[in-house]
Amino acid sequence: MIKETATPSHVANATAATTTLTPPDLAIVGNTLQIHPSSIADTPFASQEQSLLEPYARFRRQPINALQELGLHVLGEGWRSYDDIVGQEIFYPGFSENMKGMVMAQERLQRKLAELAGKRVEVEIHEGLLGPKGPEGEAHEHRKRRLERRREIEAQLREVAEDWTDKMICKMESKYFIRSAYYLCTQLLTRAYHQGIHVSSDEVLHLRSVAAEAAKKKQSIIFLPCHKSHVDYVSLQLICYRLGLALPTVVAGDNLNFPVVGSFLQHAGAMWIRRSFGDDQLYTTLVQSYMDTLLQNGYNIECFVEGGRSRTGKLLQPKFGILSFFSTATTKSIEVDSYVSELLGQPKPKEDLASFLSASSVLSLKLGRVDVRFHEPWSLRGFIDEHRSRLLQKSLPSVGEMKVDLALKRRLLTTLGYKVLSDINDASVVMPTALVGTVLLTLRGRGVGKSELVRRVEWLSDR
């Protein structure tokens, strides 16, 4: 699980409190990956911060260097090749068709197709469309006609399922594409977050060892980050690519599946699901079958337990929809202006290409850096087995088995959801704006001087 935050540069120095026990950070900016202390103020590295975090060359300023860097990504020089990754093989021609075939072959989906076809045949029999009801309808000609109709309906449902699967699954087809996508996303991200992405070196090393062990056992890593901004999933994809880890399949709402951007994200690892499934049994089973396929074959997954993005910067209540599929098998974000409008009562604007392009002006801002922290990983299977056995011991024997299963599932999902949120809080980076805001809320007067504000913030950060 990860926690992503962004530190505004104009208040970053207000929390310059480090100890020698703090592990160094890895700074991922442009094509460089450097280790340096978590805080640079009052350290020998302070004067080297700019050179350590030099972003990619800009086409307007250094066109030749920029073209050289782009060429390195397209040709796949060194780590950019993304050939020797830790995890299951991805980004090869035919990946989508192989994944689609595995999903459609899931026994769960095949049973549901047969079940739905059978139910439709029963409805048509009741309506008198497939011969008479009762003993007369058991004649050979009527039984043959009903069997043919059932096969016809099942074939139609299979076509629908194949079409939905093709639109839903991520399409990791080309390494040339993902190399170029990494370059493009890094260019865009480092324009706004000019200090880059920072992760703890200890956490990254531990993550790589966990990923290597999971790959040997063909197990999946499920990333469950907080969701404050679109930067969340972009940052994790960039980190995994740079460190040579298999990119996770990102569970994303189909509201982002609009022209150009939707296709780009899908080929970079996004899978599209509806915001609401309703009573659509086939679609629900299809999503479950896709999740089963990913988990059974050891592909990494990323989803957001909060559902949508937080509009307040605080964690939202957990949404149990996506977690049920697994149990069965920034202080300053780039969307801050839209968040303010929504908090003032304006309706959430629909995601489209026009709004995406209009938001490009934020890339000229200097928002500081993105901090990503990874919590100690734990086994989902072990968690479910432990809590299931504990909850079963408390179940009343007089309660029906069906009610026990439903109640047990609800308790498990609730416990799992809040455990994830608790772990996100544990891994969170306390941001300078949070410290400043806390100090301001404790003041009795109408204002405070800069020196007094810094003194109180430093005192609070030392606690």
Side-chain angles (χ1 to χ4, degrees), residues 166-180:
D166 184 68
K167 294 177 179 177
M168 176 177 60
I169 63 175
C170 68
K171 299 181 177 181
M172 299 178 175
E173 291 280 342
S174 170
K175 286 186 180 177
Y176 290 106
F177 170 83
I178 197 60
R179 293 168 190 163
S180 303

Side-chain angles (χ1 to χ4, degrees), residues 355-425:
S355 61
F356 175 80
L357 294 176
S358 65
S360 61
S361 60
V362 302
L363 298 178
S364 61
L365 302 177
K366 300 297 183 183
L367 301 180
R369 78 188 203 186
V370 178
D371 281 284
V372 180
R373 293 294 177 261
F374 295 87
H375 192 274
E376 182 70 21
W378 42 270
S379 168
L380 178 59
R381 183 187 298 275
F383 174 87
I384 292 176
D385 291 343
E386 176 186 351
H387 286 269
R388 182 181 179 85
S389 60
R390 181 172 59 83
L391 292 173
L392 282 174
Q393 294 175 359
K394 298 181 180 181
S395 300
L396 298 176
S398 59
V399 179
E401 182 177 348
M402 181 68 71
K403 292 184 178 180
V404 169
D405 287 342
L406 291 176
L408 180 63
K409 185 175 182 178
R410 284 195 297 268
R411 292 282 297 277
L412 275 174
L413 289 177
T414 301
T415 305
L416 176 60
Y418 283 101
K419 172 178 172 52
V420 171
L421 294 184
S422 175
D423 287 350
I424 289 175
N425 268 329

Side-chain angles (χ1 to χ4, degrees), residues 66-132:
L67 287 174
Q68 288 176 340
E69 291 172 349
L70 178 60
L72 291 175
H73 281 276
V74 174
L75 296 176
E77 293 292 330
W79 58 267
R80 303 169 188 81
S81 67
Y82 202 61
D83 289 331
D84 188 19
I85 63 172
V86 180
Q88 305 306 313
E89 183 182 6
I90 52 178
F91 290 106
Y92 60 86
F95 174 87
S96 301
E97 285 302 315
N98 289 344
M99 182 62 66
K100 184 177 175 180
M102 289 189 290
V103 173
M104 293 301 301
Q106 284 287 332
E107 184 179 351
R108 180 195 303 271
L109 179 58
Q110 296 299 320
R111 289 199 308 266
K112 179 58 67 173
L113 292 173
E115 176 190 334
L116 293 176
K119 288 182 177 179
R120 180 58 195 172
V121 168
E122 291 177 2
V123 171
E124 294 185 2
I125 292 175
H126 182 73
E127 294 175 348
L129 301 176
L130 296 175

Side-chain angles (χ1 to χ4, degrees), residues 11 28-29 58 75 77 105 122 146 175 209 211 215-216 258 285 359 420 428 438 440 442 444 460:
V11 293
I28 305 176
V29 179
R58 304 300 185 193
L75 296 176
E77 293 292 330
E122 291 177 2
R146 292 171 183 175
K175 286 186 180 177
S209 66
K216 291 179 182 179
F258 50 85
T285 305
V420 171
S428 295
T438 301
L440 293 177
T442 62
R444 294 184 179 181
L460 183 61

Side-chain angles (χ1 to χ4, degrees), residues 126-370:
H126 182 73
E127 294 175 348
L129 301 176
L130 296 175
K133 295 182 286 185
E136 297 180 1
E138 297 299 321
H140 176 70
E141 57 181 284
H142 297 308
R143 293 179 62 184
K144 180 179 179 181
R145 181 183 174 190
R146 292 171 183 175
L147 180 61
E148 291 176 351
R149 177 58 178 161
R150 178 168 181 164
R151 290 174 178 171
E152 179 184 356
I153 295 174
E154 193 169 338
Q156 293 173 350
L157 290 173
R158 186 170 287 104
E159 289 182 6
V160 172
E162 288 177 351
D163 180 60
W164 285 353
T165 302
D166 184 68
K167 294 177 179 177
M168 176 177 60
I169 63 175
C170 68
K171 299 181 177 181
M172 299 178 175
E173 291 280 342
S174 170
K175 286 186 180 177
Y176 290 106
F177 170 83
I178 197 60
R179 293 168 190 163
S180 303
Y182 175 88
Y183 177 84
L184 174 62
C185 290
T186 305
Q187 280 274 19
L188 295 176
L189 187 67
T190 54
R191 284 179 181 269
Y193 297 97
H194 61 292
Q195 293 180 359
I197 302 174
H198 291 244
V199 294
S200 166
S201 57
D202 286 354
E203 292 172 0
V204 165
L205 292 174
H206 188 41
L207 175 62
R208 283 185 60 88
S209 66
V210 170
E213 186 67 22
K216 291 179 182 179
K217 299 179 180 179
K218 209 173 183 180
Q219 294 176 338
S220 302
I221 297 178
I222 304 175
F223 296 94
L224 299 169
C226 66
H227 198 18
K228 297 180 181 179
S229 164
H230 291 304
V231 176
D232 299 319
Y233 53 83
V234 175
S235 298
L236 181 59
Q237 297 292 82
L238 293 178
I239 289 172
C240 288
Y241 183 95
R242 182 62 184 87
L243 298 177
L245 305 180
L247 298 189
T249 298
V250 184
V251 181
D254 60 3
N255 59 306
L256 289 174
N257 189 15
F258 50 85
V260 182
V261 174
S263 178
F264 178 89
L265 294 176
Q266 191 173 22
H267 284 80
M271 62 165 284
W272 303 118
I273 61 172
R274 299 174 186 170
R275 303 291 287 181
S276 176
F277 294 2
D279 296 325
D280 195 329
Q281 297 183 38
L282 177 57
Y283 189 79
T284 302
T285 305
L286 191 61
V287 174
Q288 180 68 71
S289 299
Y290 186 29
M291 290 296 167
D292 290 347
T293 301
L294 293 173
L295 294 173
Q296 290 167 4
N297 292 276
Y299 292 102
N300 298 334
I301 303 174
E302 176 187 357
C303 72
F304 302 97
V305 68
E306 301 167 271
R309 285 170 289 154
S310 169
R311 262 61 186 171
T312 63
K314 298 179 181 179
L315 291 176
L316 301 176
Q317 296 291 320
K319 302 294 190 299
F320 303 119
I322 194 64
L323 287 179
S324 66
F325 291 110
F326 297 135
S327 63
T328 305
T330 36
T331 60
K332 179 68 175 177
S333 68
I334 60 176
E335 300 96 333
V336 66
D337 292 334
S338 66
Y339 289 172
V340 172
S341 299
E342 292 167 32
L343 290 172
L344 291 175
Q346 298 182 16
K348 179 180 181 293
K350 183 179 179 181
E351 307 280 3
D352 55 29
L353 183 59
S355 61
F356 175 80
L357 294 176
S358 65
S360 61
S361 60
V362 302
L363 298 178
S364 61
L365 302 177
K366 300 297 183 183
L367 301 180
R369 78 188 203 186
V370 178

